[in-house]
Structure formats: C-alpha cells, structure tokens
Coordinates of all heavy atoms in Angstrom, one line a residue:
M787 N 0.8 -1.2 0.0 CA 0.0 0.0 0.0 C 0.9 1.3 0.0 O 1.8 1.3 0.8 CB -0.9 0.0 1.3 CG -1.8 1.2 1.3 SD -2.9 1.2 2.8 CE -1.8 1.9 4.0
L788 N 0.6 2.2 -0.8 CA 1.3 3.4 -0.9 C 1.0 4.3 0.3 O -0.2 4.6 0.6 CB 1.0 4.2 -2.2 CG 1.8 5.4 -2.6 CD1 3.3 4.9 -2.9 CD2 1.3 6.1 -3.8
V789 N 2.0 4.7 1.0 CA 1.8 5.5 2.2 C 2.2 7.0 1.9 O 1.5 7.9 2.3 CB 2.7 5.0 3.4 CG1 2.6 6.0 4.6 CG2 2.3 3.6 3.8
C790 N 3.2 7.2 1.2 CA 3.7 8.5 0.9 C 3.6 8.7 -0.6 O 4.4 8.2 -1.4 CB 5.1 8.7 1.4 SG 5.9 10.3 1.0
S791 N 2.7 9.6 -1.0 CA 2.5 9.8 -2.5 C 3.6 10.8 -3.0 O 3.8 10.8 -4.2 CB 1.1 10.3 -2.8 OG 0.8 11.4 -2.0
C792 N 4.1 11.6 -2.1 CA 5.2 12.5 -2.6 C 6.4 11.8 -3.0 O 7.1 12.2 -4.0 CB 5.5 13.5 -1.5 SG 4.2 14.7 -1.1
N793 N 6.8 10.8 -2.2 CA 8.1 10.0 -2.5 C 7.8 8.6 -3.0 O 8.8 7.9 -3.2 CB 8.8 9.9 -1.2 CG 9.4 11.3 -0.7 OD1 10.2 11.9 -1.4 ND2 8.9 11.8 0.4
F794 N 6.6 8.2 -3.2 CA 6.2 6.9 -3.7 C 6.8 5.8 -2.8 O 7.6 5.0 -3.2 CB 6.6 6.7 -5.1 CG 6.0 7.7 -6.1 CD1 6.8 8.7 -6.6 CD2 4.7 7.6 -6.4 CE1 6.2 9.6 -7.4 CE2 4.1 8.5 -7.2 CZ 4.9 9.6 -7.8
V795 N 6.5 5.9 -1.5 CA 7.0 5.0 -0.5 C 5.8 4.1 0.0 O 4.8 4.6 0.3 CB 7.6 5.7 0.7 CG1 8.0 4.7 1.8 CG2 8.8 6.6 0.3
T796 N 6.1 2.8 0.0 CA 5.0 1.9 0.4 C 5.2 1.5 1.9 O 6.2 1.7 2.5 CB 5.1 0.6 -0.4 OG1 6.3 -0.1 -0.1 CG2 5.0 0.9 -1.9
E797 N 4.1 0.9 2.4 CA 4.1 0.4 3.8 C 5.2 -0.6 4.0 O 5.9 -0.6 5.0 CB 2.7 -0.2 4.1 CG 2.6 -0.6 5.5 CD 1.2 -1.1 5.8 OE1 0.3 -1.0 4.9 OE2 0.9 -1.5 7.0
K798 N 5.4 -1.5 3.0 CA 6.4 -2.6 3.2 C 7.8 -2.0 3.2 O 8.6 -2.5 3.9 CB 6.3 -3.6 2.0 CG 5.0 -4.4 1.9 CD 5.0 -5.4 3.0 CE 3.8 -6.3 3.0 NZ 3.5 -6.9 4.3
E799 N 8.0 -1.0 2.4 CA 9.4 -0.3 2.5 C 9.6 0.3 3.9 O 10.7 0.2 4.4 CB 9.5 0.7 1.4 CG 9.5 0.2 0.0 CD 9.4 1.3 -1.1 OE1 8.5 2.1 -1.0 OE2 10.3 1.2 -2.0
I800 N 8.6 0.9 4.4 CA 8.8 1.5 5.7 C 9.0 0.5 6.8 O 9.9 0.6 7.6 CB 7.5 2.4 6.1 CG1 7.5 3.6 5.1 CG2 7.6 2.9 7.5 CD1 6.2 4.4 5.2
E801 N 8.2 -0.6 6.7 CA 8.4 -1.7 7.7 C 9.8 -2.3 7.6 O 10.5 -2.6 8.6 CB 7.4 -2.8 7.4 CG 6.0 -2.4 7.8 CD 4.9 -3.5 7.3 OE1 5.3 -4.4 6.5 OE2 3.8 -3.3 7.7
A802 N 10.3 -2.4 6.4 CA 11.7 -3.0 6.2 C 12.7 -2.1 6.8 O 13.7 -2.6 7.4 CB 11.9 -3.2 4.7
V803 N 12.6 -0.8 6.6 CA 13.6 0.2 7.2 C 13.5 0.2 8.7 O 14.6 0.2 9.3 CB 13.4 1.6 6.6 CG1 14.2 2.6 7.3 CG2 13.7 1.6 5.1
V804 N 12.3 0.2 9.2 CA 12.2 0.2 10.7 C 12.8 -1.1 11.3 O 13.6 -1.0 12.2 CB 10.7 0.3 11.1 CG1 10.5 0.0 12.6 CG2 10.1 1.6 10.7
T805 N 12.6 -2.2 10.6 CA 13.2 -3.5 11.1 C 14.7 -3.4 11.0 O 15.5 -3.8 11.9 CB 12.7 -4.7 10.3 OG1 11.3 -4.7 10.5 CG2 13.3 -6.0 10.8
E806 N 15.2 -2.8 9.9 CA 16.7 -2.7 9.8 C 17.3 -1.8 10.8 O 18.3 -2.1 11.4 CB 16.9 -2.1 8.4 CG 18.3 -1.8 8.0 CD 18.4 -1.1 6.6 OE1 17.9 -1.7 5.7 OE2 19.0 -0.1 6.6
L807 N 16.6 -0.7 11.2 CA 17.0 0.2 12.2 C 17.0 -0.4 13.6 O 17.9 -0.3 14.4 CB 16.1 1.5 12.2 CG 16.3 2.4 11.0 CD1 15.1 3.4 11.0 CD2 17.6 3.2 11.1
L808 N 16.0 -1.2 13.8 CA 15.9 -1.9 15.1 C 16.9 -3.0 15.2 O 17.4 -3.3 16.3 CB 14.5 -2.5 15.3 CG 13.4 -1.5 15.5 CD1 12.0 -2.1 15.5 CD2 13.6 -0.7 16.8
D809 N 17.3 -3.6 14.1 CA 18.4 -4.6 14.1 C 19.7 -4.0 14.6 O 20.5 -4.6 15.2 CB 18.5 -5.3 12.8 CG 17.5 -6.3 12.5 OD1 16.8 -6.8 13.4 OD2 17.3 -6.7 11.3
E810 N 19.9 -2.7 14.2 CA 21.1 -2.1 14.6 C 21.1 -1.7 16.1 O 22.1 -1.7 16.8 CB 21.3 -0.8 13.8 CG 21.5 -1.0 12.3 CD 21.5 0.2 11.5 OE1 21.4 1.3 12.0 OE2 21.6 0.1 10.2
D811 N 19.9 -1.2 16.6 CA 19.7 -0.9 18.0 C 18.3 -1.0 18.3 O 17.4 -0.2 17.9 CB 20.2 0.6 18.2 CG 20.0 1.1 19.6 OD1 19.5 0.3 20.5 OD2 20.3 2.2 19.9
C812 N 17.9 -2.1 19.0 CA 16.5 -2.4 19.2 C 15.8 -1.5 20.1 O 14.6 -1.5 20.2 CB 16.4 -3.9 19.7 SG 17.0 -4.2 21.3
W813 N 16.5 -0.6 20.8 CA 15.8 0.3 21.7 C 15.9 1.8 21.2 O 15.6 2.7 22.0 CB 16.3 0.2 23.2 CG 16.0 -1.2 23.7 CD1 16.9 -2.1 24.0 CD2 14.7 -1.7 24.0 NE1 16.3 -3.2 24.5 CE2 15.0 -3.0 24.5 CE3 13.4 -1.3 23.8 CZ2 13.9 -3.9 24.8 CZ3 12.4 -2.1 24.2 CH2 12.6 -3.4 24.7
R814 N 16.3 2.0 20.0 CA 16.4 3.4 19.5 C 15.0 4.0 19.3 O 14.1 3.3 19.1 CB 17.2 3.4 18.2 CG 16.4 2.9 17.0 CD 17.2 2.7 15.8 NE 18.0 3.9 15.4 CZ 19.0 3.9 14.6 NH1 19.4 2.8 14.0 NH2 19.7 5.0 14.3
V815 N 15.0 5.3 19.4 CA 13.7 6.0 19.1 C 13.7 6.3 17.6 O 14.6 6.9 17.1 CB 13.6 7.3 19.9 CG1 12.4 8.1 19.5 CG2 13.6 7.0 21.4
I816 N 12.7 5.8 16.9 CA 12.5 6.0 15.5 C 11.4 7.0 15.2 O 10.3 6.8 15.7 CB 12.3 4.7 14.8 CG1 13.4 3.7 15.1 CG2 12.1 4.9 13.3 CD1 13.2 2.3 14.6
V817 N 11.7 8.0 14.4 CA 10.7 9.0 14.0 C 10.6 8.9 12.5 O 11.5 8.4 11.8 CB 11.0 10.4 14.6 CG1 11.0 10.4 16.1 CG2 12.4 10.9 14.0
P818 N 9.6 9.5 11.9 CA 9.5 9.5 10.4 C 10.8 10.1 9.7 O 11.2 9.5 8.7 CB 8.3 10.4 10.1 CG 7.4 10.2 11.3 CD 8.4 10.1 12.5
G819 N 11.4 11.1 10.3 CA 12.6 11.6 9.7 C 13.8 10.6 9.7 O 14.6 10.6 8.7
T820 N 13.8 9.7 10.7 CA 14.9 8.7 10.7 C 14.7 7.7 9.6 O 15.6 7.3 8.9 CB 14.8 7.9 12.1 OG1 14.6 8.8 13.1 CG2 15.9 7.0 12.2
V821 N 13.4 7.4 9.3 CA 13.1 6.4 8.3 C 13.3 7.0 6.9 O 14.0 6.4 6.1 CB 11.6 6.0 8.4 CG1 11.2 5.1 7.2 CG2 11.3 5.3 9.7
Y822 N 12.9 8.2 6.7 CA 13.1 8.9 5.4 C 14.6 9.2 5.1 O 15.0 9.1 4.0 CB 12.2 10.2 5.3 CG 10.8 9.8 5.0 CD1 10.1 9.0 5.7 CD2 10.2 10.4 3.9 CE1 8.8 8.7 5.4 CE2 8.9 10.1 3.6 CZ 8.2 9.2 4.4 OH 6.9 8.9 4.0
N823 N 15.3 9.5 6.2 CA 16.7 9.8 6.0 C 17.4 8.5 5.5 O 18.3 8.6 4.7 CB 17.3 10.3 7.3 CG 18.7 10.7 7.1 OD1 19.1 11.4 6.2 ND2 19.6 10.4 8.1
R824 N 17.1 7.4 6.1 CA 17.7 6.1 5.8 C 17.4 5.8 4.3 O 18.2 5.2 3.6 CB 17.2 5.0 6.7 CG 17.7 3.6 6.4 CD 19.2 3.5 6.5 NE 19.8 3.8 7.8 CZ 20.2 2.9 8.6 NH1 20.1 1.6 8.3 NH2 20.6 3.2 9.8
M825 N 16.2 6.2 3.8 CA 15.8 5.9 2.5 C 16.3 7.0 1.5 O 16.0 7.0 0.3 CB 14.3 5.8 2.3 CG 13.7 4.6 3.1 SD 12.0 4.3 2.7 CE 11.2 5.6 3.5
Q826 N 17.0 7.9 2.1 CA 17.5 9.1 1.3 C 16.4 9.8 0.6 O 16.5 10.2 -0.5 CB 18.6 8.6 0.3 CG 19.8 8.0 1.0 CD 20.9 7.6 0.0 OE1 20.7 7.3 -1.2 NE2 22.1 7.6 0.5
K827 N 15.4 10.0 1.4 CA 14.2 10.8 1.0 C 13.9 11.8 2.1 O 14.5 11.7 3.2 CB 13.0 9.9 0.7 CG 13.2 8.8 -0.4 CD 12.0 8.0 -0.5 CE 12.2 6.9 -1.5 NZ 12.6 7.3 -2.9
R828 N 13.0 12.7 1.8 CA 12.6 13.6 2.9 C 11.1 14.0 2.8 O 10.6 13.9 1.6 CB 13.5 14.8 3.0 CG 13.4 15.7 1.7 CD 14.3 16.9 1.8 NE 14.0 17.8 0.7 CZ 14.6 19.0 0.6 NH1 15.4 19.4 1.5 NH2 14.2 19.7 -0.4
G829 N 10.6 14.4 3.9 CA 9.2 14.8 3.8 C 9.0 16.0 3.0 O 9.8 16.9 3.1
R830 N 8.0 16.0 2.2 CA 7.7 17.2 1.4 C 6.4 17.9 2.0 O 6.5 18.9 2.7 CB 7.5 16.8 0.0 CG 8.8 16.3 -0.6 CD 8.7 15.9 -2.0 NE 10.0 15.3 -2.5 CZ 10.2 14.9 -3.7 NH1 9.3 15.1 -4.6 NH2 11.4 14.4 -4.0
C831 N 5.3 17.3 1.8 CA 4.1 17.9 2.4 C 3.9 17.3 3.9 O 3.2 18.0 4.7 CB 2.8 17.5 1.6 SG 2.3 15.8 1.8
C832 N 4.5 16.2 4.2 CA 4.5 15.6 5.5 C 3.1 15.1 5.9 O 2.9 14.8 7.1 CB 5.1 16.5 6.6 SG 6.8 16.9 6.2
G833 N 2.2 15.0 5.0 CA 0.9 14.6 5.3 C 0.8 13.1 5.6 O -0.1 12.6 6.2
C834 N 1.8 12.4 5.2 CA 1.9 10.9 5.5 C 2.5 10.6 6.9 O 2.4 9.5 7.3 CB 2.8 10.2 4.4 SG 4.5 10.9 4.4
F835 N 3.1 11.6 7.5 CA 3.8 11.3 8.8 C 2.9 10.6 9.9 O 3.4 9.7 10.5 CB 4.5 12.6 9.3 CG 5.8 12.9 8.7 CD1 6.1 12.3 7.5 CD2 6.7 13.7 9.3 CE1 7.4 12.5 6.9 CE2 7.9 14.0 8.7 CZ 8.3 13.4 7.5
P836 N 1.6 11.0 10.1 CA 0.8 10.3 11.0 C 0.7 8.8 10.7 O 0.8 8.0 11.6 CB -0.5 11.0 11.0 CG -0.2 12.4 10.6 CD 0.9 12.2 9.5
N837 N 0.6 8.5 9.4 CA 0.5 7.1 9.1 C 1.9 6.4 9.2 O 2.0 5.2 9.6 CB 0.1 6.9 7.6 CG -1.4 7.2 7.4 OD1 -2.2 7.1 8.4 ND2 -1.8 7.6 6.3
V838 N 3.0 7.1 8.9 CA 4.3 6.5 9.1 C 4.5 6.2 10.6 O 5.1 5.2 11.0 CB 5.4 7.5 8.6 CG1 6.8 7.0 8.9 CG2 5.2 7.7 7.1
I839 N 4.1 7.1 11.5 CA 4.2 6.9 12.9 C 3.5 5.6 13.3 O 4.0 4.8 14.1 CB 3.7 8.1 13.7 CG1 4.7 9.3 13.5 CG2 3.6 7.8 15.2 CD1 4.2 10.6 14.0
D840 N 2.2 5.5 12.9 CA 1.5 4.3 13.1 C 2.3 3.0 12.7 O 2.3 2.0 13.4 CB 0.1 4.3 12.5 CG -0.8 5.3 13.1 OD1 -0.5 5.7 14.3 OD2 -1.8 5.6 12.5
I841 N 2.9 3.1 11.5 CA 3.6 1.9 11.0 C 4.8 1.7 11.9 O 5.2 0.5 12.2 CB 4.0 2.1 9.5 CG1 2.7 2.2 8.7 CG2 4.9 1.0 9.0 CD1 3.0 2.7 7.3
I842 N 5.5 2.7 12.3 CA 6.7 2.6 13.2 C 6.3 1.9 14.5 O 7.0 1.0 14.9 CB 7.4 4.0 13.4 CG1 8.0 4.5 12.2 CG2 8.4 3.8 14.6 CD1 8.4 6.0 12.3
V843 N 5.2 2.4 15.1 CA 4.8 1.8 16.4 C 4.4 0.3 16.2 O 4.8 -0.5 17.0 CB 3.6 2.6 16.9 CG1 3.0 1.9 18.1 CG2 4.1 4.0 17.3
R844 N 3.6 0.0 15.2 CA 3.1 -1.3 14.9 C 4.3 -2.3 14.6 O 4.4 -3.4 15.2 CB 2.2 -1.3 13.8 CG 1.4 -2.6 13.6 CD 0.3 -2.4 12.6 NE 0.7 -2.0 11.2 CZ 0.4 -0.9 10.7 NH1 -0.4 0.0 11.3 NH2 0.8 -0.6 9.4
T845 N 5.2 -1.8 13.8 CA 6.4 -2.6 13.4 C 7.3 -2.8 14.6 O 7.8 -3.9 14.9 CB 7.2 -2.0 12.3 OG1 6.3 -1.8 11.2 CG2 8.3 -2.9 11.8
S846 N 7.5 -1.8 15.4 CA 8.3 -1.9 16.6 C 7.7 -2.9 17.7 O 8.4 -3.7 18.2 CB 8.6 -0.5 17.3 OG 9.2 0.3 16.4
E847 N 6.4 -2.8 17.9 CA 5.7 -3.7 18.8 C 5.9 -5.2 18.3 O 6.3 -6.0 19.1 CB 4.3 -3.4 18.9 CG 4.0 -2.1 19.7 CD 2.5 -1.8 19.7 OE1 1.7 -2.3 18.9 OE2 2.1 -1.0 20.6
Q848 N 5.7 -5.4 17.0 CA 5.8 -6.7 16.5 C 7.2 -7.2 16.6 O 7.5 -8.4 16.8 CB 5.3 -6.8 15.0 CG 5.1 -8.2 14.5 CD 4.0 -8.9 15.3 OE1 3.0 -8.4 15.6 NE2 4.4 -10.1 15.7
Y849 N 8.2 -6.3 16.3 CA 9.6 -6.7 16.4 C 9.9 -7.3 17.8 O 10.6 -8.3 17.9 CB 10.5 -5.4 16.1 CG 12.0 -5.7 16.1 CD1 12.6 -6.0 15.0 CD2 12.7 -5.6 17.3 CE1 14.0 -6.2 14.9 CE2 14.0 -5.8 17.3 CZ 14.7 -6.1 16.1 OH 16.1 -6.3 16.1
H850 N 9.5 -6.6 18.8 CA 9.8 -7.0 20.2 C 9.0 -8.2 20.6 O 9.5 -9.1 21.3 CB 9.6 -5.9 21.2 CG 10.7 -4.8 21.0 ND1 12.0 -5.0 21.5 CD2 10.6 -3.6 20.5 CE1 12.7 -3.9 21.2 NE2 11.9 -3.0 20.6
I851 N 7.8 -8.4 20.1 CA 7.0 -9.6 20.4 C 7.7 -10.8 19.8 O 7.8 -11.8 20.4 CB 5.6 -9.4 19.8 CG1 4.8 -8.5 20.7 CG2 4.9 -10.8 19.8 CD1 3.5 -8.0 20.1
N852 N 8.2 -10.6 18.5 CA 8.9 -11.7 17.9 C 10.2 -12.1 18.5 O 10.7 -13.2 18.3 CB 9.1 -11.4 16.4 CG 7.8 -11.3 15.6 OD1 6.8 -11.8 16.0 ND2 7.9 -10.7 14.4
R853 N 10.8 -11.2 19.3 CA 12.1 -11.5 19.8 C 12.1 -11.7 21.3 O 13.1 -11.6 22.0 CB 13.1 -10.4 19.5 CG 13.5 -10.5 18.0 CD 14.0 -9.2 17.5 NE 14.3 -9.3 16.1 CZ 13.5 -9.4 15.1 NH1 12.2 -9.2 15.3 NH2 13.9 -9.5 13.8
D854 N 10.9 -11.9 21.9 CA 10.7 -12.3 23.3 C 11.3 -11.2 24.2 O 11.9 -11.5 25.2 CB 11.3 -13.6 23.6 CG 10.5 -14.8 23.0 OD1 9.3 -14.6 22.9 OD2 11.1 -15.8 22.7
S855 N 11.2 -9.9 23.9 CA 11.6 -8.9 24.8 C 10.7 -9.0 26.0 O 9.5 -9.3 25.9 CB 11.4 -7.5 24.1 OG 12.2 -7.4 23.0
T856 N 11.3 -8.7 27.2 CA 10.5 -8.9 28.4 C 9.5 -7.7 28.6 O 9.7 -6.6 28.1 CB 11.4 -8.9 29.6 OG1 12.1 -7.7 29.7 CG2 12.4 -10.1 29.5
G857 N 8.4 -8.1 29.2 CA 7.3 -7.1 29.4 C 7.8 -5.9 30.1 O 7.3 -4.8 29.9
A858 N 8.8 -6.0 31.0 CA 9.3 -4.9 31.9 C 10.0 -3.9 31.0 O 10.1 -2.8 31.4 CB 10.2 -5.5 32.9
E859 N 10.4 -4.3 29.8 CA 11.1 -3.4 28.9 C 10.2 -2.6 28.0 O 10.6 -1.7 27.3 CB 12.1 -4.1 28.1 CG 13.2 -4.8 28.9 CD 14.1 -5.7 28.2 OE1 13.6 -6.5 27.4 OE2 15.3 -5.6 28.3
F860 N 8.9 -2.9 28.0 CA 7.9 -2.2 27.1 C 7.5 -0.9 27.8 O 7.4 -0.8 29.0 CB 6.7 -3.0 26.9 CG 6.9 -4.1 25.9 CD1 7.0 -5.4 26.3 CD2 7.0 -3.9 24.6 CE1 7.1 -6.5 25.4 CE2 7.2 -4.9 23.7 CZ 7.3 -6.2 24.1
C861 N 7.1 0.1 27.0 CA 6.5 1.3 27.5 C 5.4 1.7 26.5 O 5.6 1.5 25.3 CB 7.5 2.4 27.7 SG 8.4 2.9 26.3
D862 N 4.3 2.2 26.9 CA 3.2 2.6 26.1 C 3.4 4.0 25.6 O 3.9 4.9 26.3 CB 1.9 2.5 26.8 CG 1.5 1.1 27.1 OD1 1.8 0.2 26.2 OD2 1.0 0.8 28.2
F863 N 3.1 4.3 24.3 CA 3.2 5.6 23.8 C 1.8 6.2 23.6 O 0.9 5.5 23.2 CB 3.9 5.7 22.5 CG 5.4 5.3 22.6 CD1 5.8 4.1 22.4 CD2 6.2 6.3 23.0 CE1 7.2 3.8 22.5 CE2 7.6 6.0 23.2 CZ 8.1 4.7 22.9
Ligands
FES349 S1 2.8 12.3 1.4 FE1 4.7 11.8 2.3 S2 5.8 13.8 2.2 FE2 3.9 14.1 1.2

C-alpha cells in the first residue's frame, strides 16, 4: 500500500527500514525523519507522517514480540 505519495513509499518499504534500524539498535527511538533519511528521501508535504508513525509503532511492537523482549522493557506511547 502506498503511504507517501510525494516520495512513492510503500508500507512494506517503511516496515523494512524500521526493522533494519531496530536490528542495529533495538531500543532506539525512530521517528519519520529517521526512516526517510535512511531511504535518502525527505518529507515534502509531511501529510503521510501520522501514518508513518502508526507503522513505526506497529512494526516496533511486532519486532519485540517476535524476539521475546520482556514485558518490563515495554512502554506505552
Ligand atoms: S505524502 Fe509523504 S511527504 Fe507528502
């Protein structure tokens, strides 16, 4: 699904970058700028950023569930 029409970025591409960033440091804070910078793109209208944030949160939660991170290490946003 296309998430960013300005840069033609799909949901799968964002999920892949978030996973790649978490593989480097699983507790880093990821914001849309982090993801777009990694893809060598940047926000133009930034209308997609709320959806990108939802994808980052969902992907990060799933990342930690899949890797048996302990519940004590989770925090709600
Ligand atoms: S829709 Fe993503 S920057 Fe415009």
Side-chain angles (χ1 to χ4, degrees):
M787 181 178 85
L788 190 65
V789 174
C790 176
S791 57
C792 292
N793 291 297
F794 302 106
V795 175
T796 66
E797 182 174 359
K798 293 288 182 204
E799 291 173 308
I800 294 169
E801 289 171 351
V803 169
V804 170
T805 300
E806 180 182 306
L807 290 166
L808 290 171
D809 282 342
E810 292 172 6
D811 177 0
C812 69
W813 297 114
R814 75 189 309 163
V815 175
I816 301 173
V817 297
T820 314
V821 174
Y822 279 54
N823 187 41
R824 178 60 64 101
M825 293 190 291
Q826 298 183 332
K827 300 180 185 298
R828 63 181 191 174
R830 295 183 185 180
C831 76
C832 301
C834 60
F835 278 19
N837 288 334
V838 174
I839 291 168
D840 288 344
I841 295 166
I842 292 169
V843 170
R844 192 170 58 243
T845 305
S846 297
E847 285 176 344
Q848 194 59 49
Y849 182 92
H850 288 287
I851 288 169
N852 292 343
R853 283 157 184 81
D854 288 332
S855 298
T856 62
E859 296 172 315
F860 284 106
C861 60
D862 292 322
F863 292 97

